[in-house]
Each structure stands twice: as C-alpha cells, then as structure tokens.
Amino acid sequence: MISSLTLSYDVSTPDNRFFLPEGTVITSRIMEEVVSGGKKSSHPSYCILEYGTTKKDLLHCLEEPPFDAVFSPRETLDEVLKLMEHVRLALPILEFLDYFKENDFHTYSHSLMVFALTTVLAREAVPEYDRLIRETIAGSTHDLGKFCVPMKILMKGKPLTQREFSILRNHTTAGYILLSHYLADSENISTRLARDHHERRNGSGYPRGINLQDTMTEIVAVSDVYHALISSRPYRPVSFDNRTALEELTDMAERNEFGLDIVKMMISLNRKDKPRYDEFNISTERRGTPPPGNLYGLIAEDEEKTEGSGDEL
C-alpha cells in the first residue's frame, strides 16, 4: 500500500475520462490501474519552451527583480534556458498549463518559475544535473494537481475552512495520480516531486508526513516556498520582500524543515558575487518584516457559515 494517502477530493482530467472519487485509499493496486490506463493512451509531446507563449512568459518573469539578479550573469540564464529547451511534455500536461494560464495566472507563472529555480539550483547540488533536468519535467508540473482544487478555493482571499484546507492539500496526491497516469509510471521522479514537494526533513509536511531525504525534491520544495513568498497571492495583499523571504527559508532550515545547504544555495544566487554555499555564513540577525494581512495557514473559525457562502470563496 502507498502509505497514508487518501483522496480528500475527486481527481479528474479535463476530458473527464480519468476519475478517482473522494475517499479513495491509494493502494498499490489502484496505482497499477492508474498506470495501466495511461499505457493505453498515446499523446504527442512538445518542448515546453516552444509551446504557446511559455518562453515569452518565462522570460518576462525572469526580467523582474529579484530574478534578474538570481539568474545573472547572462551565461547562467543561457545555460538554464538551454537545458529547459530539452524538456518535453505530453500534450495533456501542457493543456493543464493552459488551464492555469487562463484561470489562475499565479499557479501558471509559479510553475514556470519553480522550474527555472529548480534548474539553476540543481547545477550546484545534484550530480549529472543536466541529464536529470533533460530526462525529467522537474518543477514545471509540481502543482499540476491544483487542477483538482476548485478555483473558488485557489482564489479565495479569506481564511480557508478546515474542509477547504484539506481539499487544497489534496493537490499533492492528485498531481501524483495524474502524472502517474499521463507518464504511465508511478515511480517517475516527476510523479514523486508532485507528491512530495510539501514534505519536510523533520516530518512536519504532507501528505504522508515522511522525513524528506531526496535532494531533488528538496530543491523543488525550497524553490516552491521561495517563489510563493515573494509573489502576490489572493490570501496575501502584499508579498514578502526578498530579504524577509530568505530569512523565512533560513528559519525553516533551523527548524530542520529544509537542509541548510540548499537554503544557502538560494541565498548565494541572490548575492552579487555568487559565493559558494559552503564558503559563507548566514547572518543570525533578522531585519526583515513579514507583510501584514497574510492569511496563509489561517483556518476560518466559523466553518459552517463560511462553507455556506459559496459566492465568497
């Protein structure tokens, strides 16, 4: 059995041909059926940076601070783009990106930027990183399961109810199932990244509460948190400034949620001289200030009343 995985909400594809209902316990037999169904389908694949306006949209994001510094000098950006140009996605997976671009641009741009950040961090942390990036779809699909989260929850600007929070967290398991189906492989690194990118080293994450030990997954997780903090979100009127975001990552490393080396690599990318992560110390002084009005992680007290007011979600 796949330990501690039960669907909190339905999993379906845009064409509704593949479906697992809420409450399904994800067993080895279920995953065999998921993979078997994927093997019966054939889909064309395309380079992610040659699909629609993906490359244009990514470059626009990379031109904005702090990413103009993170991906400097120009040779670094050129190398990252060259590697990303070798990554191909099946058409149904690219259509998920289309869905987010049209309905939730936060998730769309987030997927592209986590992909780019994962690629540049992997250069430092992962042996044969170029082969790994070329052979996997890494960070670009880590949030694909958010397709199975109702848009009224993704775009809600008020605290979530406990039920809504459970549905939101369901995106990790949903992404694992959907990618296992489309890749016809439940052990592919991309399926595991979708499932495990909210796990933490100290076991405080989800969906399984495991002690995260995989370097590539941790890189995606750090990239995920960093980009989410410095980006606008419906639940936060003001994003974290860059210093405060990096200090938040440092605090997470001190709590053993992330390894300090990966966090230091992210900090190094933000420094002009780009020192090696093992050649500098992190300041213990905290000068950043979290933004006001951040609702992330807050649970609505009056759950019944909030759930009954669907137009407010």
Side-chain angles (χ1 to χ4, degrees):
M1 178 181 292
I2 311 298
S3 62
S4 302
L5 287 180
T6 302
L7 292 181
S8 301
Y9 198 69
D10 300 340
V11 173
S12 61
T13 58
D15 57 12
N16 290 317
R17 288 192 299 171
F18 177 70
F19 175 82
L20 286 177
E22 174 186 338
T24 300
V25 177
I26 307 305
T27 63
S28 298
R29 182 184 62 80
I30 290 291
M31 292 310 300
E32 289 173 3
E33 293 175 358
V34 167
V35 170
S36 178
K39 289 180 178 178
K40 297 176 182 178
S41 304
S42 178
H43 305 284
S45 63
Y46 302 92
C47 171
I48 185 173
L49 292 189
E50 294 177 359
Y51 182 77
T53 62
T54 301
K55 186 173 183 178
K56 177 183 176 181
D57 298 333
L58 175 62
L59 288 174
H60 177 73
C61 293
L62 292 173
E63 292 171 355
E64 300 293 324
F67 302 114
D68 56 342
V70 168
F71 289 88
S72 67
R74 179 69 197 194
E75 290 78 10
T76 297
L77 176 59
D78 289 342
E79 182 179 355
V80 169
L81 292 174
K82 184 177 181 180
L83 283 171
M84 293 175 71
E85 286 171 353
H86 287 271
V87 175
R88 300 177 68 85
L89 299 178
L91 181 58
I93 297 176
L94 290 167
E95 289 173 344
F96 281 107
L97 290 180
D98 287 337
Y99 169 81
F100 290 125
K101 182 177 181 179
E102 180 178 350
N103 297 284
D104 178 11
F105 200 82
H106 299 292
T107 297
Y108 170 71
S109 59
H110 179 67
S111 298
L112 297 180
M113 288 306 300
V114 169
F115 187 15
L117 287 166
T118 295
T119 302
V120 73
L121 281 174
R123 294 164 71 245
E124 292 291 327
V126 180
E128 298 185 15
Y129 76 95
D130 52 344
R131 177 190 60 79
L132 187 61
I133 293 296
R134 290 169 190 263
E135 292 180 0
T136 71
I137 51 183
S140 63
T141 57
H142 75 293
D143 271 346
L144 183 140
K146 285 187 176 179
F147 172 79
C148 299
V149 179
M151 194 57 59
K152 62 183 181 180
I153 294 178
L154 289 179
M155 303 304 292
K156 187 175 181 180
K158 297 181 179 180
L160 299 179
T161 67
Q162 190 64 57
R163 167 65 174 158
E164 291 164 349
F165 192 57
S166 175
I167 293 172
L168 177 61
R169 285 189 164 198
N170 191 68
H171 81 275
T172 54
T173 306
Y176 169 62
I177 292 168
L178 290 170
L179 285 171
S180 294
H181 173 73
Y182 286 118
L183 299 177
D185 181 4
S186 63
E187 296 300 321
N188 183 284
I189 185 173
S190 298
T191 65
R192 291 187 282 109
L193 288 171
R195 181 190 63 195
D196 295 341
H197 68 278
H198 280 285
E199 301 287 4
R200 300 293 183 254
R201 280 196 171 201
N202 62 4
S204 64
Y206 67 89
R208 296 182 294 161
I210 63 173
N211 297 107
L212 181 61
Q213 297 179 346
D214 181 76
T215 300
M216 193 66 184
T217 305
E218 190 169 25
I219 288 174
V220 172
V222 169
S223 300
D224 178 47
V225 171
Y226 173 66
H227 186 260
L229 289 173
I230 63 174
S231 304
S232 61
R233 288 292 188 271
Y235 51 78
R236 186 176 56 233
V238 180
S239 62
F240 281 66
D241 64 78
N242 200 48
R243 181 184 183 89
T244 307
L246 293 172
E247 289 180 353
E248 180 67 22
L249 285 175
T250 302
D251 289 343
M252 295 178 74
E254 291 178 349
R255 295 193 296 267
N256 196 33
E257 294 179 46
F258 293 136
L260 185 59
D261 285 351
I262 302 298
V263 171
K264 289 179 70 175
M265 290 176 195
M266 183 67 79
I267 293 172
S268 174
L269 289 174
N270 279 275
R271 293 188 175 181
K272 186 175 182 179
D273 57 347
K274 301 292 193 293
R276 278 187 53 85
Y277 71 93
D278 54 357
E279 295 179 351
F280 71 93
N281 296 317
I282 300 177
S283 172
T284 57
E285 181 183 4
R286 297 290 183 266
R287 291 186 288 171
T289 303
N294 184 17
L295 302 178
Y296 183 78
L298 297 181
I299 302 298
E301 294 182 4
D302 191 352
E303 182 168 339
E304 182 178 353
K305 180 177 179 181
T306 305
E307 285 196 324
S309 305
D311 292 341
E312 298 179 2
L313 298 182

